[in-house]
Amino acid sequence: MKNTTHFGFKQVATNDKQSLVRDVFNSVASKYNLMNDVLSFGAHRLWKHYTIASSNVKISDKVLDIAGGTGDLAIEFRKKVGDSGQVILSDINAAMLNEGRKNLTNKGIFGVEFVQLNAQQLPFDSNTFDCVSIAFGLRNVTDKDQALKEIYRILKPGSCLLILEFSTTDSVLLKKFYDFYSFNIMPKLGGIIADNEASYQYLAESIRKHPNQETLKNMVLDAGFDFCEYHNLSGGIVALHKGIKV
Amino acid sequence: MQSFAIFWHKQAVILERALNHLVINSRVNIDALNGKTIGLSLQDLPLDVHFICANNRIFVLSATDKSTDVDIKLKSMIFISLLQGEDLTELLRQDKINIHGDAKTAQLLVDLLKEVDIDLEEMASKHTGDIIANQLGKLTRKFNHIGTQSNNPFKIIKDGLSTLLINPIKSKRYKHKNS
Ligand SMILES: C[S@@+](CC[C@H](N)C(=O)[O-])C[C@H]1O[C@@H](n2cnc3c(N)ncnc32)[C@H](O)[C@@H]1O
């Protein structure tokens, strides 16, 4: 690994990135769900709905949601796998996991396990899961290649990885609007609603630093996956990558 | 042709859900296909799909350059006649279909596709923009039915809304005529 890496548009020591990301999510945890709805105009729910619809998860499956935060995906996976299945909601950040726990309890969802972990070192046996998901989490991970390799290891043959993440739009008009919105409006809203302009500035910057659709697809294949394809959502502002381990 | 490729890409998701719906409800048994990767391409349309069968489920992917265990190449009209019950061996004998690999596996896939509750025949037979737009409504309706696996009107509306917002081209409300 290189000695420095990006944290938004800043270059920081690789060893420092994890704690900087932790600070961001510590500071937004309590307002995270509200901000998600406001900033995406509710569209994050639809992107997640599409992710679940593409998951191929069924009754009795074992599913791991990485960087799961407040647990939106875990809730839906829990409904799909039933009592005979297993869903683990995991995140590196204890504050986010706590929000997840509260959210699930408030929604009457029980039976989901919570594990605090770093996507780069997954504490599970090889060939364990039928599906692993990571939504809006990969761009925060310091060593993405390592995380992808770990995910590949713990997936069973005949199972899939789903990466839902901000991506790159080809539409010039959409890009203009999106750039203006994310660098001028989003941080301001973060300041007003969550009293945290800097974290939402990081959010906007980290999206721009994240690999585009094709680069991420190649990273998934390089990690060992036999197949990978992606679907652009909302004109490519978000993409869902699906990696298959045969 | 480009619009058909995009159109098909989205349909692969629908087809995958439909096939797995059959597996989940024990309407088909895919044991014999376990571990197999099958490529299906229509020679007269930019349609190239891989079916990956493993872990008692099927993945449908479009456009990959990975090699497959069995490769089926045929014209769209022949594909339609297969789905309508034409004998695969007979078509093979007449050189109307090109199979690399085990023909029995190909037959199993064809049998599976025949069971699917979406109109593959129409999908393959009509490929001009207007007709595609027309087909989308029908497919989306079937997709909603399969996808929700319930008669819950709220879920159906939610699915429809998702389709409209994140994949407008697939929506019933999609009025734009592709050229
Ligand atoms: C934007 S939130 C996404 C939460 C949730 N998946 C969603 O879609 O609403 C990103 C999450 O990634 C987590 N995260 C960041 N780095 C991580 C790492 N290395 N391993 C696991 N989780 C990480 C953060 O703590 C945060 O909860």
Side-chain angles (χ1 to χ4, degrees):
Chain A
M1 234 193 331
K2 284 187 278 178
N3 289 335
T4 65
T5 187
H6 53 82
F7 172 73
F9 289 165
K10 290 191 201 90
Q11 206 57 26
V12 298
T14 303
N15 289 337
D16 292 345
K17 176 160 171 170
Q18 199 170 302
S19 69
L20 290 166
V21 169
R22 187 180 54 227
D23 291 346
V24 167
F25 287 101
N26 272 340
S27 68
V28 301
S30 61
K31 291 270 170 41
Y32 181 79
N33 271 355
L34 171 69
M35 288 304 288
N36 255 0
D37 277 334
V38 172
L39 296 179
S40 72
F41 309 109
H44 76 103
R45 292 174 189 271
L46 302 173
W47 299 326
K48 287 170 184 166
H49 184 69
Y50 188 80
T51 305
I52 298 290
S54 309
S55 69
N56 224 335
V57 162
K58 53 187 186 166
I59 216 108
S60 299
D61 274 359
K62 277 186 162 199
V63 181
L64 171 68
D65 185 31
I66 299 178
T70 49
D72 288 349
L73 289 185
I75 290 172
E76 296 306 318
F77 281 134
R78 176 70 182 85
K79 292 177 192 164
K80 279 199 159 247
V81 304
D83 288 340
S84 54
Q86 184 185 23
V87 175
I88 298 175
L89 168 54
S90 69
D91 201 290
I92 199 170
N93 189 306
M96 288 297 282
L97 267 186
N98 257 337
E99 289 301 316
R101 207 187 299 265
K102 275 194 242 166
N103 193 25
L104 267 62
T105 309
N106 287 340
K107 290 190 168 130
I109 303 289
F110 300 99
V112 170
E113 293 164 46
F114 297 84
V115 177
Q116 189 173 356
L117 55 72
N118 184 343
Q120 292 167 204
Q121 291 115 28
L122 299 173
F124 304 106
D125 289 340
S126 302
N127 307 321
T128 299
F129 291 94
D130 298 288
C131 178
V132 172
S133 59
I134 179 164
F136 306 111
L138 191 63
R139 70 173 190 282
N140 302 300
V141 175
T142 311
D143 191 343
K144 297 175 187 52
D145 294 319
Q146 171 63 21
L148 292 171
K149 278 188 197 135
E150 271 292 89
I151 294 170
Y152 179 81
R153 180 183 65 75
I154 62 164
L155 277 169
K156 286 180 191 165
S159 60
C160 76
L161 155 70
L162 296 164
I163 306 171
L164 182 66
E165 191 51 274
F166 290 104
S167 206
T168 309
T169 174
D170 280 342
S171 156
V172 179
L173 211 64
L174 194 56
K175 191 175 176 332
K176 270 201 177 136
F177 162 77
Y178 184 50
D179 278 347
F180 179 79
Y181 174 73
S182 40
F183 287 112
N184 297 287
I185 300 184
M186 221 160 74
K188 291 276 178 293
L189 281 174
I192 296 164
I193 303 173
D195 195 19
N196 195 335
E197 193 168 330
S199 291
Y200 287 90
Q201 179 73 26
Y202 160 75
L203 179 78
E205 291 177 6
S206 65
I207 291 170
R208 298 311 184 282
K209 296 300 282 183
H210 190 65
N212 68 13
Q213 287 89 332
E214 279 298 317
T215 311
L216 182 56
K217 177 180 165 175
N218 287 326
M219 286 165 69
V220 171
L221 292 172
D222 287 347
F225 285 86
D226 298 276
F227 296 92
C228 178
E229 71 174 12
Y230 60 83
H231 294 253
N232 282 338
L233 309 177
S234 302
I237 286 182
V238 165
L240 175 67
H241 281 72
K242 186 167 178 175
I244 313 270
K245 172 173 174 177
V246 182
Chain B
M1 282 300 194
Q2 168 71 4
S3 64
F4 187 82
I6 295 166
F7 161 73
W8 175 256
H9 190 66
K10 306 294 179 199
Q11 301 320 310
V13 178
I14 299 172
L15 182 57
E16 180 178 288
R17 294 190 69 188
L19 285 167
N20 286 294
H21 182 68
L22 293 176
V23 177
I24 290 169
N25 291 294
S26 310
R27 280 172 49 198
V28 293
N29 184 338
I30 57 164
D31 287 354
L33 287 172
N34 207 33
K36 296 268 193 296
T37 309
I38 306 164
L40 172 72
S41 24
L42 299 189
Q43 290 156 325
D44 48 348
L45 288 179
L47 188 153
D48 202 341
V49 225
H50 286 191
F51 295 86
I52 302 149
C53 309
N55 194 18
N56 201 26
R57 68 199 70 204
I58 302 170
F59 296 99
V60 183
L61 297 184
S62 47
T64 93
D65 43 20
K66 273 260 174 179
S67 64
T68 48
D69 298 313
V70 181
D71 219 6
I72 310 168
K73 284 196 172 57
L74 71 180
K75 292 222 165 72
S76 51
M77 288 316 291
I78 306 297
F79 181 49
I80 291 165
S81 62
L82 258 180
L83 292 175
Q84 285 170 344
E86 189 83 44
D87 186 34
L88 181 96
T89 330
E90 181 57 25
L91 290 171
L92 260 175
R93 205 182 53 75
Q94 293 170 14
D95 261 351
K96 288 188 174 158
I97 176 168
N98 200 327
I99 298 181
H100 268 269
D102 179 23
K104 264 199 209 126
T105 307
Q107 179 68 61
L108 286 170
L109 178 75
V110 171
D111 292 345
L112 200 62
L113 292 175
K114 278 190 209 158
E115 293 294 321
V116 169
D117 193 19
I118 55 179
D119 214 335
L120 285 168
E121 294 160 38
E122 281 192 65
M123 229 158 106
S125 65
K126 298 174 179 169
H127 55 91
T128 65
D130 277 3
I131 295 166
I132 286 170
N134 209 335
Q135 288 298 301
L136 294 170
K138 282 189 192 172
L139 280 167
T140 310
R141 268 191 293 282
K142 290 190 175 184
F143 174 47
N144 282 338
H145 174 68
I146 294 157
T148 53
Q149 292 168 29
S150 80
N151 293 324
N152 178 347
F154 176 70
K155 269 210 100 198
I156 293 174
I157 291 166
K158 196 171 150 201
D159 273 350
L161 192 64
S162 311
T163 311
L164 179 66
L165 284 174
I166 61 182
N167 258 330
I169 196 169
K170 243 171 47 187
S171 169
K172 276 183 253 179
R173 298 184 188 284
Y174 178 71
K175 295 276 191 295
H176 176 74
K177 307 267 185 238
N178 280 320
S179 50

